[in-house]
Amino acid sequence: MRKEKIYDAAIVGSGASGGLAAKVLAEKGMEVIVLEAGPPVDPARDFKSHTPPWEMAYRGARPPEVRQTQWNQTVANEYNSHFYVKDTEHPYTTDPGKPFVWIRSRIVGGKTLHWGRLSWRLSPYDFKAGSHDGYGDDWPIAYEDLAPYYDKAEGFIGVSGSAEGLKQLPDGNFLPPMPPSCQEVIFRKAAGRAGLRAIPMRAAMLTRPLKGQPHRAPCHYCGHCSHGCDVNAMFSSISSTLPAAEATGKYTLRPNSIVRKVLVDSNTGKARGLSVVDRETRQDFEIAAKTVVLGASTLESTRILLNSKNAQHPNGLGNSSGALGHYLMDHFGGIGITGFLPMFKGAEITNTDGKATGTYIPRFRNLDERHPDFIRGYGFEAWSFGAQGFPWFANSVPGFGAAFKEEVKRRYPALVSFTTRAEMLARYENRVSIDPEVKDRWGIPVLRFSCAHGDNERKMAQDALAKAHEIMAAAGAEVLWVDDEMTAPGVIIHELGTCRMGDDPESSVLNRFNQAHDVKNLFVVDGGCFVSSACQNPTLTILALAWRACDYLADEFR
């Protein structure tokens, strides 16, 4: 089938970047269609935020189909496993000895339905990291170029946080932060004794009503953020950007639409639309558009471009530089400590069920003084759990029967845990390519991963673990267990790079406005454009970059 209608912009993906692109372009008068590979979402049916675990077959834990396979076992449970895809339907391959865990959501709203919500700006250190320490490339833009768009993004999604005056973590446009628990007050003081600064998390969660979005209520602390927020307190594209696009009358959503490739006009060399297959009927059709915007997620957008090769672009669309698919990054975690604060053992269990944020220790390495063993840096995310869910630490408590239950209850209010979020360097050899032998159930060739951590990450992990012990000792904590194994690439779900931006078309795929060097009416607005990963969660930066790119696109379109 061929669609006769020609849209001003065809947008692939309905998550953070795709939803933001739909809002900005539609509000600027362009007629847009959003293509989502997965089904529509019905919060009344699909969000189980307020279903108590005793009403669920597996008490809210991971069902067998999750426990027995690799897919999403790090994040999915009975509440939210329907948000994720199964590797059996959406396979990928990896090089021997280089595991990669690709965690994906194919549903309207994408990963914004259940994301971690942490919203940090990158700093001047991050945009000019190459100049700062001599490794890799600077971004083609500076912090000052993106700062106005950080302001816009924070103001629209609603970010709760506190101004701290840290040059490595710029302040923003904040709602009031969530107050700390008693345990977090102790932890923050301990971080200070270890010479570190601990601050409230900055999260895309409303702590008060947001002007212009009356349908979004402030957080009521139910504690089920990753299961879908049915009051819209946390930002998602279905709560914010997609409704804003729909209000313009210029927006069409087509779910269950899997994009095979970008179509290119052989005469003009410009994108003319998309080749698409219906997820349910498996019928092929085309979408015609004057511009194409890829926001399908870092790796899906790169997969589409690699599969879009043709006579003019034999190595993949927009890949004259040879950089497409290379420089894959993901933050690493897995380095941290869980323990108890003795002063809280046996304390009254207060209702902190829904405290959805915690404490953050921003990057402190390689700012003004260079560490002798590694470059770049890491931060710590810390939580005190109080009555926040099932006492998962119980299997580490000795005993049996009534005495065992009492000991679990006694330790419950005292639990604290923290983990590392650390930068992975951009390296050419970390890459994805198209596997020539394997296709998904719709006949589309899949990605093959070749990605591994390097010495810089391993040395950084050693330093982070030593610092974690120092903080716990300063808090007087009893250590329950130590996590000393770095997560495999992909586990943190912050995959970045593979479609990097740059001023030089011979070493990058996109220019400073996320526009393909080789195809002027093609834009990539997700995390694929990142030049370096920094150590901060990337979604806020993705939103700001997408907003900036779409402002430029709309101006050029006019």
Side-chain angles (χ1 to χ4, degrees), residues 294 301-309 316-317 324 499 522:
L294 298 183
S301 291
T302 298
R303 178 191 179 194
I304 290 169
L305 292 175
L306 288 170
N307 277 323
S308 299
K309 65 181 182 180
L317 188 59
L324 182 65
C499 199
L522 172 65

Side-chain angles (χ1 to χ4, degrees), residues 28-80:
K28 288 183 174 291
M30 294 179 64
E31 190 163 5
V32 304
I33 182 170
V34 173
L35 301 166
E36 168 55 51
V41 62
D42 177 2
R45 177 196 65 206
D46 299 322
F47 290 0
K48 301 177 181 179
S49 308
H50 298 130
T51 303
W54 53 86
E55 291 184 5
M56 307 187 79
Y58 301 100
R59 302 298 187 264
R62 296 179 184 125
E65 66 269 20
V66 176
R67 294 198 303 269
Q68 295 171 5
T69 62
Q70 177 178 315
W71 75 275
N72 303 326
Q73 59 181 310
T74 59
V75 290
N77 55 43
E78 193 175 8
Y79 282 98
N80 62 14

Side-chain angles (χ1 to χ4, degrees), residues 387-399:
Q388 194 178 17
F390 188 83
W392 41 266
F393 64 88
N395 60 0
S396 299
V397 177

Side-chain angles (χ1 to χ4, degrees), residues 123-124 127-128 139-147 512 548:
S123 75
F127 287 104
K128 302 302 176 184
W139 289 57
I141 60 174
Y143 172 76
E144 292 73 18
D145 295 317
L146 204 56
R512 61 177 56 212
R548 181 174 181 270

Side-chain angles (χ1 to χ4, degrees), residues 95-247:
D95 280 358
K98 295 184 176 181
F100 192 97
V101 181
W102 190 11
I103 299 172
R104 294 158 286 171
S105 289
R106 285 192 171 187
I107 189 170
V108 172
K111 292 190 286 291
T112 67
L113 300 183
H114 50 83
W115 66 304
R117 308 167 304 287
L118 299 187
S119 301
W120 316 106
R121 296 187 179 202
L122 300 194
S123 75
Y125 288 108
D126 303 312
F127 287 104
K128 302 302 176 184
S131 295
H132 185 64
D133 58 32
Y135 177 87
D137 299 310
D138 289 340
W139 289 57
I141 60 174
Y143 172 76
E144 292 73 18
D145 295 317
L146 204 56
Y149 291 96
Y150 275 133
D151 289 341
K152 290 183 178 183
E154 288 163 342
F156 183 76
I157 70 176
V159 176
S160 58
S162 59
E164 300 289 342
L166 298 172
K167 56 186 178 181
Q168 73 271 36
L169 197 69
D171 293 329
N173 181 14
F174 299 138
L175 301 172
M178 292 188 174
S181 66
C182 293
Q183 295 90 335
E184 286 168 0
V185 171
I186 300 297
F187 188 86
R188 291 177 189 180
K189 290 180 179 178
R193 289 193 291 273
L196 305 178
R197 180 84 166 269
I199 68 173
M201 294 286 197
R202 296 173 184 172
M205 299 187 66
L206 303 189
T207 52
R208 67 184 182 197
L210 191 63
K211 185 178 179 181
Q213 298 187 48
H215 59 288
R216 295 185 63 194
C219 180
H220 65 273
Y221 305 100
C222 74
H224 288 268
C225 307
S226 65
H227 306 154
C229 182
D230 55 5
V231 300
N232 300 325
M234 84 176 202
F235 164 75
S236 72
S237 56
I238 68 166
S239 73
S240 301
T241 49
L242 296 182
E246 186 173 17

Side-chain angles (χ1 to χ4, degrees), residues 288-303:
K290 298 174 185 177
T291 58
V292 170
V293 179
L294 298 183
S297 79
T298 293
L299 295 170
E300 281 291 359
S301 291
T302 298
R303 178 191 179 194

